[in-house]
Amino acid sequence: MLTCVIRYHIDPTKKAQFEEYSRNWGQAIPRCGADLIGYYSPHEGSSTLAYGIYNVASLADYEAYRARLAADPLGRENYEFAQKERFLLREDRTWLKLASAPHGDSA
């Protein structure tokens, strides 16, 4: 399992647009095959950092998911919404692999 963490730098005056964008992904991402952990908008501290986090089984599964997302009507609309509203100033993806499993006491 791989986890994709997307770090966004957003326009702090357009937090509402980012939250709409996040809710749209909340529908489209699971429908297209990724395990969405969630989207997170600024609350305290930084007013410009936001995150999106989801899991996929492999990079091959990620490529298939991306193709489905690009063909999804809400996915296409959401990409266009972000381009039109210009609330995303920067977007960085990091791929992580869980290293601490299993968790808890197995005794």
Side-chain angles (χ1 to χ4, degrees):
M1 183 69 63
L2 298 173
T3 300
C4 181
V5 178
I6 308 168
R7 182 178 63 180
Y8 297 97
H9 290 261
I10 66 169
D11 180 334
T13 66
K14 296 184 177 183
K15 183 178 165 185
Q17 287 91 332
F18 178 79
E19 290 177 352
E20 180 179 345
Y21 175 80
S22 299
R23 287 188 297 276
N24 290 338
W25 285 140
Q27 300 301 310
I29 289 173
R31 179 171 59 235
C32 291
D35 174 24
L36 180 64
I37 304 302
Y39 270 73
Y40 301 86
S41 65
H43 180 69
E44 288 289 327
S46 173
S47 63
T48 61
L49 284 179
Y51 295 89
I53 305 169
Y54 60 89
N55 294 317
V56 292
S58 67
L59 288 178
D61 286 335
Y62 170 72
E63 292 302 327
Y65 150 77
R66 292 284 292 178
R68 287 189 298 271
L69 194 62
D72 184 82
L74 182 55
R76 284 194 313 271
E77 288 173 25
N78 217 28
Y79 283 124
E80 291 167 8
F81 174 65
Q83 293 297 311
K84 178 182 165 214
E85 295 294 323
R86 304 183 66 126
F87 52 87
L88 300 177
L89 306 177
R90 184 173 168 179
E91 184 176 330
D92 298 307
R93 280 181 173 70
T94 300
W95 288 94
L96 303 171
K97 183 174 87 170
L98 181 63
S100 63
H103 300 141
D105 185 9
S106 60

